[in-house]
Amino acid sequence: MTVSSSNKANLFVVSAPSGAGKTSLLKQLMSDLSNVQTSISHTTRKRRDAEVDGVDYHFVSVEKFKELVEEEAFYEHAEVFGNYYGTSKASISEQLTKGIDVILEIDWQGARQIRKQISSSLSIFILPPSKQELEKRLTGRGQDDSEIIQGRMNSAIDEMSHYNEYDYLVINDNFALAVDEIKTIIVGERQKSPAEQQKLEKQSEKHAQLLCNLLE
Ligand code: 5GP
């Protein structure tokens, strides 16, 4: 599926609790859609083995990060799990000017700040299919110790409690279907087709039952 570059580019904010599968979903989306890119955040977090500086994140020192904050180089920045993360203004405006849709992978705090500054931005929240599955996914990663996993489980519930601030909800139960759903949202917004532009029903029975399970 391709996206025509003649239409206006949009800024999408995508949030999800750790373990909801956001990174894999967006990776698939990037390979399936042209003219859509994720923005690369700055972070003071330590680089993980599989990550590449300048591709996954711009890994910077706390000192450098604070300098950038002073220079007002970020649309938003936040402390998440004891590390700083920020979204650079320069990289986003450059991509949008080129007609490329930009996806920001940020948490609810960042999403709020972006909404305030860029009213035309659109937001998508990705939910895991159940609390049990989320727990399994967090444990199954094997890259963090149990204290971190427990902390992330608690943070996940906190993150998910903000689902109602988002324009779209996507449940990552079936990977292929979830990818298709996000594609429909992105392409629909770009093409401004009335049918696809409809916001998804947030309070459908399926969503309501799942949210009860996730947030209990
Ligand atoms: P991780 O360290 O696991 O890659 O990401 C931890 C959290 O930081 C995730 O919830 C992710 O969405 C969030 N995050 C990543 N980049 C940014 C950013 O630029 N701004 C904000 N506010 N959060 C971010």
Side-chain angles (χ1 to χ4, degrees):
M1 195 186 308
T2 52
V3 175
S4 159
S5 61
S6 59
N7 296 324
K8 188 180 77 59
N10 290 306
L11 180 66
F12 292 91
V13 174
V14 179
S15 304
S18 271
K22 178 181 67 177
T23 308
S24 311
L25 286 171
L26 293 183
K27 202 170 156 202
Q28 185 62 46
L29 201 76
M30 294 305 109
S31 80
D32 291 357
L33 288 181
S34 59
N35 282 355
V36 183
Q37 287 177 3
T38 50
S39 135
I40 302 164
S41 296
H42 285 63
T43 184
T44 59
R45 170 168 72 61
K46 205 165 160 279
R47 189 178 62 78
R48 293 180 187 136
D49 284 348
E51 290 175 331
V52 178
D53 187 26
V55 174
D56 298 288
Y57 282 105
H58 296 292
F59 293 96
V60 293
S61 65
V62 174
E63 292 69 33
K64 177 69 187 168
F65 194 93
K66 285 183 175 168
E67 255 175 57
L68 291 168
V69 171
E70 284 287 303
E71 291 165 14
E72 299 187 358
F74 297 124
Y75 270 125
E76 63 79 40
H77 57 93
E79 192 180 338
V80 187
F81 309 128
N83 296 303
Y84 297 117
Y85 295 83
T87 307
S88 144
K89 289 179 184 173
S91 61
I92 291 175
S93 57
E94 192 186 316
Q95 286 166 303
L96 290 175
T97 307
K98 283 184 191 157
I100 296 167
D101 280 333
V102 180
I103 295 184
L104 301 185
E105 293 182 62
I106 53 179
D107 72 335
W108 68 269
Q109 303 171 74
R112 250 191 206 176
Q113 292 180 54
I114 293 290
R115 247 177 244 121
K116 263 192 220 152
Q117 294 176 74
I118 310 168
S119 56
S120 60
S121 64
L122 295 148
S123 57
I124 304 172
F125 197 89
I126 298 168
L127 291 168
S130 69
K131 204 168 174 180
Q132 293 69 21
E133 180 61 25
L134 177 66
E135 213 152 13
K136 208 170 102 191
R137 288 181 190 175
L138 286 177
T139 310
R141 275 184 176 186
Q143 60 185 2
D144 296 310
D145 66 32
S146 60
E147 201 180 313
I148 291 177
I149 291 167
Q150 190 50 51
R152 290 200 161 188
M153 201 59 206
N154 295 338
S155 302
I157 295 170
D158 180 45
E159 180 81 24
M160 289 186 293
S161 70
H162 295 277
Y163 77 93
N164 206 26
E165 297 171 23
Y166 288 73
D167 297 312
Y168 296 102
L169 282 182
V170 173
I171 301 170
N172 184 15
D173 191 358
N174 176 307
F175 184 80
L177 289 181
V179 171
D180 276 351
E181 215 171 303
I182 303 172
K183 275 187 206 169
T184 303
I185 293 166
I186 292 176
V187 175
E189 287 289 351
R190 187 175 269 259
Q191 292 174 342
K192 296 292 176 198
S193 125
E196 288 176 326
Q197 208 184 350
Q198 287 284 324
K199 300 277 184 275
L200 299 186
E201 185 55 67
K202 282 187 185 177
Q203 298 298 343
S204 70
E205 203 176 320
K206 187 180 171 193
H207 285 157
Q209 278 175 6
L210 172 62
L211 283 156
C212 261
N213 167 265
L214 290 171
L215 298 175
E216 72 188 356

